[in-house]
């Protein structure tokens, strides 16, 4: 089956020059491809500006590592019953001279689309392992560190081998390292299952992030080599007033208990949310109630010393 991505420009509204009309129609066609292909898009000034920004951001992102613009922040995870910190999530940030502080929701999809996620993802893992080694050298208590992993990275045939080599190089206990993947991987189980099993064989933990918002299948959940599921913040946000959200959280906790999986609640912001999660016997949580993501220096000062 053949489908078409179509870009459309108008004479004379967009231009009265034939060559330019074709050129801007081509620009609109490029956007049609970005929108998933097999659709049409009209050329507009706003579209042009959006595409120009995207191409400019891609150029900046290609130099982000070289220019030391990427860095990690760390957000703690707490045992809710004992009120004790048991680990943290490493979160990627990008501060660019031209675009300022770019939200991950903007630059991560761009990195995946352009293939830059491979080099950026490798950098994140090495940076997190180096920080773990540094904290170990200073004699701080060892805790699990989680890093987000893209489906694109999982498609690398040598990912498991590279990960094992990096963990060995930094002399980190693999059981203290965890990779967080989104539910979208469940749509590609056959493709990435060997890599997940290789990761698991190293001793590294695997967590399903934003659980309950994407493509969920209990049969896949049972067959995947995972240790943890994280309840998406959207179910925590209105937990106090929305009984449906409370029922969903309770169901996810039951799934975790029945499958012998750890469960983490994301996005805890108030004591009321915390109290409900405690009543539901949710074991672990993270969110602004405990701390916003902090630089390694600030995290060390606040939680490790």
């Amino acid at each position: 089956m053949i489908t078409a991505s179509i870009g459309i420009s108008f004479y004379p509204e967009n231009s009265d020059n034939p060559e330019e009309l074709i050129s801007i129609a081509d620009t609109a066609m490029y956007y049609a491809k970005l929108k998933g292909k097999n659709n049409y898009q009209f050329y507009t000034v706003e579209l042009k500006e959006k595409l120009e920004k995207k191409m400019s951001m891609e150029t900046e992102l290609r130099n982000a590592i070289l220019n030391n613009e990427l860095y990690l922040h760390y957000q703690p995870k707490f045992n809710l019953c004992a009120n004790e910190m048991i680990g943290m999530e490493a979160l990627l940030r990008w501060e660019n001279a031209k675009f300022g502080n770019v939200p991950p929701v903007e630059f991560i999809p761009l990195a995946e689309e352009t293939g830059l996620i491979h080099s950026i993802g490798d950098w994140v893992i090495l940076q997190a392992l180096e920080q773990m080694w540094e904290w170990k050298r200073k004699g701080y208590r060892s805790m699990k560190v989680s890093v987000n992993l893209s489906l694109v990275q999982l498609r690398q045939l040598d990912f498991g081998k590279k990960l094992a080599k990096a963990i060995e190089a930094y002399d980190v206990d693999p059981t203290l390292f965890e990779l967080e993947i989104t539910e979208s991987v469940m749509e590609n189980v056959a493709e990435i299952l060997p890599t997940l099993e290789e990761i698991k064989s190293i001793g590294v933990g695997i967590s399903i992030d934003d659980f309950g918002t994407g493509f969920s299948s209990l049969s896949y959940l049972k067959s995947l080599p995972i240790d943890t599921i994280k309840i998406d913040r959207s179910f925590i946000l209105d937990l106090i007033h929305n009984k449906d959200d409370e029922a969903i959280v309770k169901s996810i906790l039951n799934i975790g208990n029945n499958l012998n999986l750890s469960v983490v609640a994301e996005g805890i912001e108030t004591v009321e949310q915390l109290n409900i999660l405690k009543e539901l016997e949710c074991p672990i949580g993270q969110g602004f109630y405990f701390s916003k993501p902090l630089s390694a220096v600030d995290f060390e000062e606040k939680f490790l010393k």
Side-chain angles (χ1 to χ4, degrees):
M1 180 179 292
I2 298 174
T3 62
S5 299
I6 302 170
I8 303 168
S9 61
F10 286 99
Y11 169 90
E13 291 93 329
N14 299 138
S15 176
D16 58 4
N17 182 289
E19 291 183 359
E20 187 176 9
L21 278 171
I22 293 173
S23 175
I24 58 180
D26 185 63
T27 298
M29 181 186 68
Y30 177 74
Y31 190 63
K33 290 182 178 180
L34 291 180
K35 296 283 283 185
K37 303 181 181 180
N38 191 27
N39 71 92
Y40 61 88
Q41 296 293 325
F42 293 102
Y43 174 84
T44 64
V45 174
E46 292 77 14
L47 171 62
K48 178 185 177 184
E49 292 173 348
K50 186 173 183 178
L51 289 173
E52 286 177 346
K53 179 183 177 182
K54 182 175 181 294
M55 288 187 286
S56 178
M57 187 174 288
E58 178 183 337
T59 300
E60 296 293 320
L61 189 57
R62 288 187 181 278
N63 297 312
I65 295 178
L66 185 63
N67 294 336
N68 295 315
E69 296 175 353
L70 299 178
Y71 56 96
L72 296 183
H73 273 182
Y74 298 86
Q75 187 173 43
K77 296 179 182 179
F78 274 73
N79 179 313
L80 299 188
C81 292
N83 194 32
E84 178 187 16
M85 187 178 69
I86 58 170
M88 69 201 77
E89 180 179 0
L91 298 162
L92 179 62
R93 298 290 184 260
W94 179 29
E95 183 72 33
N96 177 259
K98 184 174 182 178
F99 294 104
N101 197 335
V102 186
V105 70
E106 287 189 29
F107 74 83
I108 294 296
L110 179 60
E112 291 177 332
E113 178 189 326
T114 57
L116 292 171
I117 195 66
H118 294 298
S119 58
I120 291 175
D122 289 347
W123 180 88
V124 169
I125 289 173
L126 292 175
Q127 190 73 12
L129 289 171
E130 182 178 350
Q131 188 60 64
M132 292 175 72
W133 175 85
E134 176 66 17
W135 282 334
K136 178 182 176 181
R137 185 187 67 81
K138 291 182 176 181
Y140 296 135
R141 179 166 62 96
S142 296
M143 283 177 292
K144 183 173 286 188
V145 176
S146 303
V147 170
N148 291 284
L149 189 69
S150 165
L151 175 60
V152 178
Q153 292 172 266
L154 277 175
R155 289 183 174 134
Q156 299 178 70
L157 296 178
D158 63 341
F159 180 81
K161 293 182 177 60
K162 288 199 303 181
L163 178 63
K165 187 176 180 180
I167 288 174
E168 183 180 0
Y170 283 101
D171 191 27
V172 167
D173 181 352
T175 63
L176 294 176
F177 198 63
E178 183 178 63
L179 297 175
E180 295 190 6
I181 56 180
T182 62
E183 279 188 308
S184 61
V185 302
M186 295 186 186
E187 300 178 54
N188 303 270
V189 170
E191 181 184 6
I192 52 88
L193 184 57
T195 303
L196 290 178
E197 289 176 338
E198 187 175 7
I199 292 169
K200 186 72 174 176
S201 69
I202 298 169
V204 172
I206 300 173
S207 172
I208 299 290
D209 199 9
D210 302 331
F211 188 79
T213 60
F215 182 89
S216 299
S217 169
L218 297 185
S219 62
Y220 286 156
L221 195 62
K222 182 182 70 173
S223 60
L224 287 172
I226 63 173
D227 308 279
T228 305
I229 50 179
K230 299 185 72 176
I231 305 172
D232 186 70
R233 66 182 65 249
S234 63
F235 301 121
I236 307 300
L237 182 64
D238 201 25
L239 191 59
I240 307 166
H241 307 292
N242 192 320
K243 290 299 180 182
D244 290 339
D245 283 343
E246 183 176 338
I248 290 171
V249 170
K250 189 181 296 184
S251 297
I252 295 174
L253 287 167
N254 286 334
I255 290 171
N257 289 332
N258 291 331
L259 295 179
N260 198 28
L261 301 172
S262 180
V263 181
V264 180
E266 297 184 281
I268 302 173
E269 296 183 356
T270 68
V271 67
E272 291 81 9
Q273 293 169 343
L274 176 62
N275 289 335
I276 292 177
L277 289 166
K278 284 183 176 180
E279 290 175 9
L280 296 175
E281 298 183 355
C282 180
I284 305 170
Q286 69 181 100
F288 278 26
Y289 175 80
F290 300 105
S291 173
K292 67 178 183 179
L294 301 170
S295 68
V297 173
D298 290 340
F299 190 93
E300 180 179 321
E301 187 68 31
K302 184 173 181 179
F303 292 108
L304 299 180
K305 286 187 175 180

